[in-house]
Amino acid sequence: MTIREALQWASSFLQEHGRESRVAVLLLEHYTGLEGSGLFLEDDRKLSLEEKESFIKAVRTHAETGEPYQHITGRAPFYGRYFRVTPDVLIPRQETEELMDLIRKNTGHGDRIADIGTGSGVLAVTLALETEADVLATDISKEALGIARENAASLGADVRFYEGSFLEPLEKEHIDILVSNPPYIAWEEKEELDETVKKYDPALALFAENDGLLAYETLCKELKARNDTPRFVAFEIGHTQGGAVRRMLQDALPTYTVEVIKDLNGRDRIVTARV
């Protein structure tokens, strides 16, 4: 079986099962080690027996069970790097790269950034590698922190990780920039989600009470109680939550300028507060 034949078979098989055909390319890149144009430049190369068997098994698993290809391969791309992911952490989304861009643009030399609810550590690790900031990260999940620490170590990022709820572990730490992509989906919306999300992503990283707003309510309450508040705050949000989260942040930080920012699809995606 050549690379071309493997892609043709896998694309058809995935489509027949209602899956995205692009996953065929992503899986074959993983098992051959040929990424980007390299896969297509060598599309007449024959797969080794190991490559063929691993690829076919992975395609069948994804097509028939809906298990995300990132869990099958154990890795997911974010901001030009690959991160280890497991069912204990949320698979990074494209929208979060827009949050990363925003924080990077607002970070100065020597700033201290806190990533709250770090999960696999994609934001914290990337910020440590892409800026000259001191990066701290918290998560309530011991399992998620284990993955985040692995990612930091494998990518050579200097991040200090703390186990605990939201800002509590950083009560005495000075913070210049606070960023968070917390759980924001209402439990009532669970059945509307894609099967690969609701079945395989960790509920702790997806769902929140109070119509998905509980994490923001908690973060804003903790911000309001701090003597030392960050100069810049940025939250990723669900596309219907802009108004509610803006009001919460404005109440918590009344002297700050609060703004709702849309993503590339024109949907509310980030709420910021700045001095």
Side-chain angles (χ1 to χ4, degrees), residues 81 83 121-130 135 148-161:
R81 298 179 178 86
F83 289 78
V122 293
L123 278 172
V125 169
T126 305
L127 285 164
L129 295 171
E130 295 286 340
V135 182
R149 288 190 176 101
E150 284 186 39
N151 281 322
S154 66
L155 291 168
D158 184 11
V159 180
R160 283 184 284 160
F161 294 100

Side-chain angles (χ1 to χ4, degrees), residues 2 17 24 31 43 65 75 79 96 113-114 123 125 127 132 138 143 145 167 190-191 195 221 223 225 230 238 275:
T2 65
H17 287 77
Y31 291 110
D43 65 353
T65 70
R75 66 176 197 161
Y79 221 76
T96 306
I113 304 174
L123 278 172
V125 169
L127 285 164
E132 296 181 354
T138 73
E143 293 75 18
L145 283 175
L167 280 163
K190 182 176 181 178
E191 294 309 312
E195 180 189 61
K221 181 179 179 181
L223 277 171
V275 175

Side-chain angles (χ1 to χ4, degrees), residues 6-268:
L7 286 174
Q8 289 172 345
W9 166 78
S11 296
S12 297
F13 189 79
L14 290 166
Q15 288 175 340
E16 288 170 8
H17 287 77
R19 308 294 180 193
E20 293 185 28
S21 60
R22 70 181 184 89
V23 174
V25 173
L26 296 167
L27 286 172
L28 199 54
E29 285 181 339
H30 175 71
Y31 291 110
T32 63
L34 297 169
E35 297 183 352
S37 60
L39 195 68
F40 299 97
L41 290 173
E42 297 192 36
D43 65 353
D44 59 347
R45 174 169 83 74
K46 284 197 172 184
L47 299 178
S48 69
L49 181 60
E50 182 180 355
E51 288 172 341
K52 177 183 173 182
E53 290 180 346
S54 297
F55 176 65
I56 289 175
K57 181 181 179 182
V59 170
R60 289 189 179 279
T61 298
H62 176 70
E64 294 169 358
T65 70
E67 183 178 357
Y69 75 87
Q70 297 96 330
H71 286 176
I72 296 170
T73 62
R75 66 176 197 161
F78 184 81
Y79 221 76
R81 298 179 178 86
Y82 276 97
F83 289 78
R84 182 170 180 240
V85 294
T86 72
D88 290 315
V89 296
L90 190 70
I91 294 168
R93 269 54 170 180
Q94 181 70 36
E95 295 89 343
T96 306
E97 295 201 0
E98 296 180 45
L99 179 62
M100 172 62 210
D101 281 334
L102 181 68
I103 298 299
R104 185 181 179 186
K105 290 174 185 174
N106 284 276
T107 300
H109 177 73
D111 275 342
R112 176 173 287 175
I113 304 174
D115 174 26
I116 308 303
T118 193
S120 63
V122 293
L123 278 172
V125 169
T126 305
L127 285 164
L129 295 171
E130 295 286 340
T131 73
E132 296 181 354
D134 178 23
V135 182
L136 318 178
T138 73
D139 205 289
I140 198 171
S141 167
K142 183 177 293 186
E143 293 75 18
L145 283 175
I147 300 300
R149 288 190 176 101
E150 284 186 39
N151 281 322
S154 66
L155 291 168
D158 184 11
V159 180
R160 283 184 284 160
F161 294 100
Y162 299 80
E163 183 180 347
S165 177
F166 297 107
L167 280 163
E168 286 179 7
L170 307 180
E171 185 178 358
K172 297 180 181 179
E173 296 281 357
H174 169 74
I175 299 170
D176 296 294
I177 297 174
L178 186 148
V179 58
S180 184
N181 177 21
Y184 56 68
I185 301 173
W187 282 99
E188 294 78 11
E189 298 175 19
K190 182 176 181 178
E191 294 309 312
E192 300 172 20
L193 297 177
D194 185 271
E195 180 189 61
T196 59
V197 175
K198 67 183 179 184
K199 189 176 178 182
Y200 292 100
D201 272 330
L204 186 65
L206 287 175
F207 302 106
E209 305 293 341
N210 297 0
D211 295 324
L213 295 170
L214 183 61
Y216 305 111
E217 292 173 358
T218 304
L219 282 165
C220 288
K221 181 179 179 181
E222 292 178 352
L223 277 171
K224 193 172 185 177
R226 286 179 72 92
N227 293 322
D228 179 22
T229 54
R231 64 174 171 79
F232 185 69
V233 177
F235 296 152
E236 183 171 326
I237 61 166
H239 67 91
T240 63
Q241 297 172 327
V245 177
R246 183 187 65 227
R247 288 189 291 273
M248 289 180 209
L249 262 177
Q250 196 70 80
D251 178 68
L253 304 169
T255 63
Y256 284 48
T257 299
V258 180
E259 181 183 8
V260 180
I261 299 172
K262 297 185 183 299
D263 61 22
L264 294 177
N265 295 314
R267 291 182 159 190
D268 289 354

